[in-house]
Amino acid sequence: MCRNIHTLHNFEPAATDDEVHAAALQFVRKISGTTKPSKANIAAFEQAVEEIAHISRHLLDDLVTAAPPKNREVEAAKARARAATRYSAA
């Protein structure tokens, strides 16, 4: 359920608003225990996603590091290699 929650800090280019929103959505889904809220809970669910995305964007904008930015393609290749190792070992 948390497949879209990835490290978003220190990448070049910076995380997009869509990536931040996707992570916030996955977080709310995880803590609420549902992927699709009932009609009675839709407003609270969507408000939580927006607020978490908003504060996450502020966090990412305010974090500082001396490390060089990571390359998205290189990190994605590393993740694919780890996944291949996991699935081939199973």
Side-chain angles (χ1 to χ4, degrees):
M1 186 183 282
C2 294
R3 66 188 174 277
N4 285 331
I5 300 179
H6 301 284
T7 301
L8 298 177
H9 173 61
N10 198 28
F11 278 97
E12 190 60 44
T16 66
D17 288 338
D18 287 341
E19 290 172 312
V20 173
H21 184 271
L25 176 61
Q26 289 299 326
F27 179 77
V28 172
R29 285 177 173 172
K30 183 69 171 183
I31 63 171
S32 69
T34 183
T35 57
K36 185 175 180 185
S38 66
K39 288 182 182 179
N41 293 323
I42 246 173
F45 190 91
E46 290 177 354
Q47 181 179 355
V49 171
E50 293 308 314
E51 289 179 9
I52 291 168
H54 178 79
I55 199 66
S56 296
R57 172 51 67 194
H58 281 288
L59 172 66
L60 291 170
D61 290 345
D62 292 345
L63 289 174
V64 295
T65 183
K70 295 178 249 176
N71 181 295
R72 288 179 185 281
E73 290 77 27
V74 170
E75 296 300 318
K78 288 180 189 176
R80 284 191 297 274
R82 284 190 303 271
T85 302
R86 252 191 326 268
Y87 293 120
S88 67

